[in-house]
Amino acid sequence: MCRNPAGTGEASLAFLPDGSLVGMSVNAALPMVFKNERFNARMNVSALVKRDQRGGHLFIRQLKMVCEDSLAGKARVVIGFPNASAMLGTLIVGHKVAGAVYSANRPLFLLSWISNRVALPSPVRAKWLDNLVSEVILKTARSPYCTRLESLEDVRFEPEIDPSRLTIYADTEWLDWRYLHSPYQYAILAVGNPKQPDALAIVRTASNKTVDGREVLHGYLMDVIRSSGAPSNADIEAARAGVAWLRERRCHSVKSAFVRGTQYEAVLSKVGFWTKRSPELQPSIFMRAAPDHRIPRRIDRYAITYSWTDWL
């Protein structure tokens, strides 16, 4: 939360007498825009570190404290993606369910992807065979030229905003803090002139263990953001560039998140993602707004991507 251009946010930390952390509830500041109005919002991330503290209402007390502090200050909206065990507490403190978030998945190396859940013999997992099978079956598309931006200094980028959807206002100042100064190793990929990109794709790699205990890489397509005035296919080219970048690093697959009925769903479909209801993100986004601030009621009025959820 340090040096966040959208503000400092609010937090509640609970400790035992021995100094060990029991639970936390953090509201990170977000710059948001809806119907051409820019305003300050919060993204809540809460966790109980010690399981023996469940049932003591600590989570509810902490969440209520930080939400009331946020809405009493400059924030107009608080957003959260609680897990199943936290949903009831989230409702108790006044959040409302906005709707379902879906996940999208695209295999990049078919045999490697299958071997996550099915133990395949080592010869079947050979890189040359995986490359051949994946190119034939998955029909790997041309990789657009892109540039990884190590810095956003002197980069001119004005994000295209749909006024009918609640959107994070991702200008260069926000992008620099959110991705280039994060403990996660994100990559910002620019399509077009790197000093004035047509679109940006934000990606990162992660690892998981297969059924036979091997450590393997997979990827996340965090977001695709088109520049104002850019060609209509710029976001699709950026998404393809993000997928290609992850494939070059031998990620077996790439995931993303979206809301049904949005432009982002169409982009994911055009670059070969499979879509489904997401059990890992939990199906709901919860919202709470200040009394004088109206937020959309329909979930398809939210421009949700993985960038909304990938904080800790």
Side-chain angles (χ1 to χ4, degrees):
M1 300 203 338
C2 298
R3 300 180 181 178
N4 183 342
T8 56
E10 296 75 33
S12 171
L13 303 177
F15 297 91
L16 290 176
D18 63 4
S20 59
L21 180 66
V22 178
M24 70 169 193
S25 187
V26 177
N27 277 356
L30 287 176
M32 302 207 82
V33 58
F34 180 58
K35 292 186 176 179
N36 297 317
E37 177 192 358
R38 291 178 60 179
F39 56 90
N40 209 296
R42 296 289 187 269
M43 178 65 70
N44 178 261
V45 180
S46 297
L48 276 178
V49 178
K50 295 186 177 294
R51 293 184 178 275
D52 59 3
Q53 298 298 315
R54 293 188 184 278
H57 305 295
L58 175 62
F59 167 77
I60 295 174
R61 296 199 305 272
Q62 287 190 291
L63 181 60
K64 182 178 180 181
M65 181 187 303
V66 294
C67 286
E68 289 181 351
D69 285 351
S70 295
L71 295 176
K74 296 181 179 181
R76 314 316 299 147
V77 177
V78 178
I79 303 164
F81 294 86
N83 59 30
S85 62
M87 285 186 181
L88 179 59
T90 306
L91 289 171
I92 289 174
V93 301
H95 282 239
K96 295 181 179 180
V97 182
V101 180
Y102 287 72
S103 71
N105 189 53
R106 187 189 191 283
L108 301 179
F109 292 97
L110 192 58
L111 298 179
S112 298
W113 179 66
I114 292 173
S115 70
N116 272 293
R117 296 187 178 181
V118 179
L120 298 178
S122 181
V124 178
R125 293 187 278 104
K127 286 186 179 180
W128 70 268
L129 182 59
D130 205 356
N131 290 341
L132 179 61
V133 171
S134 301
E135 287 179 6
V136 172
I137 296 179
L138 301 178
K139 298 178 181 180
T140 304
R142 167 189 66 86
S143 174
Y145 178 78
C146 69
T147 304
R148 180 174 182 177
L149 301 180
E150 303 290 350
S151 169
L152 293 174
E153 186 177 357
D154 299 326
V155 173
R156 296 176 58 191
F157 184 77
E158 181 67 27
E160 183 177 73
I161 299 296
D162 182 346
S164 67
R165 289 190 171 89
L166 185 66
T167 307
I168 296 176
Y169 189 78
D171 60 5
T172 53
E173 188 179 19
W174 167 258
L175 291 168
D176 180 74
W177 177 83
R178 175 70 172 87
Y179 297 113
L180 298 185
H181 291 86
S182 169
Y184 283 151
Q185 295 297 308
Y186 295 107
I188 300 179
L189 309 175
V191 171
N193 182 349
K195 289 298 183 182
Q196 193 170 351
D198 291 332
L200 300 175
I202 297 100
V203 297
R204 78 171 177 91
T205 61
S207 64
N208 68 274
K209 285 192 174 182
T210 62
V211 291
D212 54 4
R214 291 176 297 108
E215 196 86 10
V216 291
L217 283 180
H218 66 275
Y220 290 100
L221 179 61
M222 300 296 302
D223 210 343
V224 175
I225 311 168
R226 185 167 61 189
S227 174
S228 178
S232 59
N233 68 335
D235 49 357
I236 297 173
E237 290 293 283
R240 286 178 176 153
V243 169
W245 191 89
L246 292 169
R247 193 176 193 277
E248 289 172 1
R249 280 141 191 84
R250 301 296 302 186
C251 292
H252 61 70
S253 64
V254 53
K255 296 180 180 180
S256 197
F258 69 99
V259 171
R260 292 286 191 196
T262 60
Q263 172 63 23
Y264 192 61
E265 179 188 14
V267 169
L268 294 177
S269 178
K270 288 178 180 178
V271 295
F273 278 79
W274 304 341
T275 59
K276 63 180 180 179
R277 188 72 169 264
S278 174
E280 67 181 62
L281 288 179
Q282 297 303 322
S284 301
I285 171 177
F286 285 68
M287 308 282 289
R288 181 176 172 186
D292 61 344
H293 195 85
R294 297 186 64 183
I295 56 176
R297 294 184 178 181
R298 290 172 48 186
I299 188 64
D300 63 358
R301 290 292 177 260
Y302 295 77
I304 295 173
T305 63
Y306 244 124
S307 63
W308 290 50
T309 66
D310 192 56
W311 286 82
L312 291 179

